Amino acid sequence: MLFPRTSPSRTVTPLDGVWEFQLDADGREAGWAGNPLPEPRPMPVPSSYNDVTVSPHVHDHVGEVWYQRRVQAPRLHDGDRLHLWFGAATHAATVWVNGQEVARHVGGYLPFEADITDHVVPGESFLLTVAVDNRLSWQSIPPGYLEVEESGIHQRYFHDFYNYAGLHRGVKLITRPAVAVSDVTITTELDGTVNYRVVADGARQIGVRILDAQQQVVARAEGAEGRVKIPEVTLWEPGRGYLYTLEVIADDDLYPQPFGVRTVEVRDSQFLINGRPFHFKGYGRHEDNLVRGKGHDDVMMVHDFELMRWQGANSFRTSHYPYADEVMDFADQQGIVVIDETAAVGLNIGISGGIFGSPNQPTVTFSQDTINAETQRVHEAHIRELIARDKNHPSVVLWSIANEPESHTDASRSYFEPLAAAAREADPSRPVGYVNVMISTPDKERIIDLFDVVMLNRYYGWYWQNNDLVLAESLLRQEIQGWISLCPGKPVIFTEYGPDTLAGMRDLQARPWSEDYQEKFFDMYHRVFDEFPEVVGEQTWNFADFQTIPGIMRVGGNRKGMFTRDRTPKAAAYKVRERWLGGQNG
Ligand code: GCB
């Protein structure tokens, strides 16, 4: 889906601000969709609603919540259409305009739109109501299930971050011509060749022009599909986010699509960007902040990129779901490389039992009653939606179609074979991978041949060999050797490694949980990585501490951050900074 951008033929009005909000109490039956909410409280959009109020009921709510506001509809010119755009409603939404349903969407981390032209009177205001549902099921991505206890209904899930919910990203009101550009796909070559394909149903005439960063036209072409060359091209490169704009003109519509010229390739155990070996330095991150939860916030976005650059990071993974469009645009502009991950996290009941589980949890990952053919269908649709949204971002160099799924069984192979194929079909221009879990070692793993790279989350020295970095080092080395033998030619990227670390806890003995242990832990991993040219990436877990469900494994959330949750560097951040800025490994 195209991100809403202004142009001579398009307007975009943000509807962010303080909306009315209420927890569901049979609101559908009571007619809340078309009437003012009976007992609303204020709620900022975008934000997760969970931590904004002081109410435990809001924090722990399971089910639908209602958002509402009045919106001024603009006057429309020449048959323009009026649309609503939602950046993300987590995890499912129904939208009504003046009581009439205009959209339903499932999937908490991707945008959706509704054409509301026929439901409003131009120039008059209308009532906008949204019901957002935070429930996860076996057929949602990510999966979860509900458990009814004496104390109430509880949402159980198999991933290690809090199930924040709400209108997490911007809401926008858009006008555009009835005949409009609805899709554009751009791929590029190093000599400046740009291949483009445009969809604009009903358009009689389609053309494109390419503007450089100074807004000068550097190339033009006619037709819905074509190849055009930029003379003396400036490449998009890690650390230098040079962007062009492809202006697509379809009859009266103009859509400006930013893009960069760069190539990506996996060859001889190397990850090549613009034909040169790239070494990933950075982190797995979360969209997670104090009070806002997963609500998008430009202040925190810019600050986080500042911190990444300060530390010498050149990349991150969108662990464990697609991030806001604004973040992807900003990564393009900043020249930060992105591993773009789906929301398929927690497809592995084997590992999650002890950490996140309830006593009654099921034991089989793939089955008729748990993750099944319908989940696979939803997962495939999600992969396609993500690729459709992010395919033109030069920062995105690799798709990760799942984090730590079960991957050592026949069932996992049947599940993933069609999904890897779907990702390749949706985007033949980028490598595809999945992130492997520690219990699925090279001797057991069954799906790596479907993918281009080996991505590993490893916790030697934390969940295993805790406080024994000597043994951890030897096992880590052995395992890397195992992957290299199993997957000749495939580069290895460490997508997670790191110990929980309580900021401020110092220990002469450098024992677990201390800042000293975190330093020693990273030193050990980096020493081992440097022995293997096949290891082309080091993304620590996590960029910052983040919120999780409470439990005996977590102290106020997951503490594996390089920075605290309020973005103060831990001691290891300085050490790792020296390495990353020191030019070692890229
Ligand atoms: C993992 C998961 C990540 C967790 C992390 C941890 O392997 O991918 O979501 O937060 O481990 O800290 O346990």
Side-chain angles (χ1 to χ4, degrees):
M1 174 176 299
L2 296 177
F3 184 61
R5 300 185 197 276
T6 49
S7 81
S9 61
R10 295 173 172 234
T11 65
V12 179
T13 310
L15 300 181
D16 302 349
V18 181
W19 292 36
E20 312 260 60
F21 174 88
Q22 191 166 346
L23 300 185
D24 184 46
D26 295 327
R28 286 172 187 260
E29 294 71 37
W32 291 7
N35 293 292
L37 297 176
E39 288 176 45
R41 61 201 308 164
M43 186 57 67
V45 173
S47 75
S48 298
Y49 57 76
N50 309 78
D51 293 348
V52 172
T53 78
V54 296
S55 159
H57 301 294
V58 174
H59 183 263
D60 297 335
H61 181 73
V62 176
E64 285 192 320
V65 298
W66 294 72
Y67 286 82
Q68 200 170 61
R69 64 165 283 170
R70 288 206 75 81
V71 177
Q72 175 62 49
R75 296 203 186 98
L76 295 172
H77 318 278
D78 303 334
D80 273 5
R81 307 294 294 181
L82 187 64
H83 292 253
L84 278 169
W85 179 90
F86 293 82
T90 313
H91 293 281
T94 312
V95 183
W96 295 267
V97 162
N98 290 333
Q100 289 172 303
E101 184 178 317
V102 295
R104 272 179 206 216
H105 183 259
V106 175
Y109 304 101
L110 286 172
F112 61 96
E113 277 190 0
D115 184 334
I116 60 167
T117 322
D118 301 333
H119 302 281
V120 303
V121 180
E124 291 187 11
S125 76
F126 63 88
L127 184 69
L128 172 59
T129 310
V130 189
V132 181
D133 196 336
N134 67 353
R135 280 171 292 192
L136 297 170
S137 74
W138 287 112
Q139 278 65 55
S140 62
I141 293 294
Y145 65 100
L146 296 176
E147 202 165 53
V148 185
E149 306 268 19
E150 245 180 87
S151 52
I153 298 181
H154 299 280
Q155 176 73 64
R156 307 293 182 204
Y157 44 93
F158 311 99
H159 52 268
D160 183 32
F161 53 93
Y162 190 71
N163 187 35
Y164 279 119
L167 292 177
H168 275 157
R169 299 174 189 161
V171 181
K172 299 179 197 297
L173 190 64
I174 306 166
T175 63
R176 61 174 181 245
V179 171
V181 179
S182 60
D183 194 26
V184 45
T185 309
I186 302 167
T187 57
T188 57
E189 299 166 26
L190 283 187
D191 66 355
T193 301
V194 176
N195 306 290
Y196 73 89
R197 202 174 58 243
V198 172
V199 181
D201 288 342
R204 281 160 289 127
Q205 219 177 355
I206 296 178
V208 298
R209 39 185 221 165
I210 296 176
L211 274 55
D212 66 14
Q214 287 73 44
Q215 304 304 307
Q216 300 303 308
V217 177
V218 292
R220 294 171 193 272
E222 292 300 318
E225 205 164 329
R227 243 170 111 73
V228 54
K229 194 163 170 185
I230 301 173
E232 293 166 52
V233 68
T234 304
L235 297 179
W236 185 97
E237 298 192 73
R240 192 180 62 161
Y242 190 93
L243 295 178
Y244 291 92
T245 304
L246 186 82
E247 282 194 345
V248 185
I249 299 143
D251 292 359
D252 293 335
D253 188 30
L254 188 159
Y255 184 78
Q257 175 64 55
F259 71 99
V261 178
R262 61 107 186 86
T263 59
V264 173
E265 194 191 342
V266 164
R267 201 195 318 140
D268 301 334
S269 303
Q270 296 299 303
F271 197 99
L272 306 177
I273 298 183
N274 297 336
R276 284 202 299 278
F278 179 71
H279 190 92
F280 294 79
K281 298 180 287 191
Y283 339 75
R285 294 176 59 210
H286 265 299
E287 291 188 316
D288 176 273
N289 272 295
L290 288 168
V291 189
R292 307 152 175 74
K294 293 199 174 305
H296 174 73
D297 180 335
D298 283 343
V299 175
M300 293 314 298
M301 174 182 77
V302 173
H303 186 54
D304 284 356
F305 275 72
E306 284 281 324
L307 292 176
M308 289 193 274
R309 194 174 287 282
W310 168 82
Q311 210 184 10
N314 59 14
S315 63
F316 65 86
R317 175 171 60 120
T318 70
S319 42
H320 295 306
Y321 36 81
Y323 286 7
D325 290 78
E326 290 84 350
V327 174
M328 306 308 287
D329 268 0
F330 200 57
D332 290 346
Q333 292 159 20
Q334 296 289 307
I336 291 283
V337 171
V338 177
I339 301 176
D340 205 355
E341 187 159 281
T342 66
V345 55
L347 281 67
N348 196 334
I349 289 167
I351 49 158
S352 51
I355 307 182
F356 324 114
S358 82
N360 310 322
Q361 106 173 330
T363 51
V364 183
T365 301
F366 300 102
S367 79
Q368 232 7 60
D369 299 331
T370 52
I371 293 174
N372 60 20
E374 175 59 11
T375 321
Q376 189 188 39
R377 191 194 63 72
V378 172
H379 191 163
E380 178 176 336
H382 174 68
I383 291 171
R384 290 182 186 277
E385 246 182 272
L386 170 66
I387 293 177
R389 189 192 74 156
D390 286 353
K391 62 189 170 184
N392 294 321
H393 286 290
S395 56
V396 175
V397 299
L398 169 61
W399 304 111
S400 164
I401 67 166
N403 179 69
E404 298 194 345
E406 181 177 301
S407 56
H408 63 282
T409 53
D410 288 346
S412 58
R413 190 165 177 92
S414 323
Y415 183 88
F416 278 103
E417 216 164 348
L419 297 186
R424 288 187 192 291
E425 188 206 41
D427 180 8
S429 80
R430 287 179 182 83
V432 178
Y434 89 100
V435 171
N436 167 281
V437 64
M438 184 139 181
I439 56 170
S440 197
T441 40
D443 50 321
K444 303 201 191 83
E445 211 272 356
R446 297 286 315 278
I447 64 173
I448 195 66
D449 59 299
L450 306 171
F451 299 96
D452 301 304
V453 295
V454 178
M455 289 191 274
L456 304 176
N457 292 351
R458 288 301 178 268
Y459 291 94
Y460 294 108
W462 186 250
Y463 292 117
W464 288 268
Q465 302 83 43
N466 191 278
N467 200 28
D468 187 351
L469 290 176
V470 174
L471 181 56
E473 175 164 353
S474 135
L475 293 172
L476 174 65
R477 192 172 281 118
Q478 271 174 41
E479 198 193 333
I480 296 178
Q481 198 56 65
W483 285 108
I484 292 171
S485 313
L486 181 70
C487 307
K490 287 185 188 167
V492 176
I493 302 170
F494 276 79
T495 35
E496 285 183 27
Y497 59 105
D500 279 278
T501 305
L502 288 178
M505 181 173 157
R506 304 307 304 251
D507 183 5
L508 268 177
Q509 306 304 326
R511 282 166 296 191
W513 291 95
S514 68
E515 296 201 33
D516 309 84
Y517 191 70
Q518 192 182 32
E519 284 190 330
K520 272 180 62 179
F521 186 102
F522 286 143
D523 277 352
M524 182 278 273
Y525 272 72
H526 293 154
R527 186 163 59 240
V528 176
F529 295 168
D530 290 345
E531 293 169 17
F532 297 97
E534 295 85 353
V535 174
V536 304
E538 48 193 74
Q539 293 190 331
T540 65
W541 190 251
N542 186 288
F543 169 69
D545 294 347
F546 59 91
Q547 194 54 277
T548 63
I549 58 160
I552 53 167
M553 301 285 285
R554 298 288 174 254
V555 186
N558 187 308
R559 300 298 189 111
K560 297 193 186 70
M562 189 72 79
F563 299 87
T564 60
R565 201 170 181 222
D566 58 5
R567 285 15 183 201
T568 304
K570 297 181 189 170
Y574 295 91
K575 268 266 183 75
V576 174
R577 178 173 190 254
E578 270 171 39
R579 171 181 170 83
W580 285 351
L581 286 177
Q584 226 165 332
N585 277 312

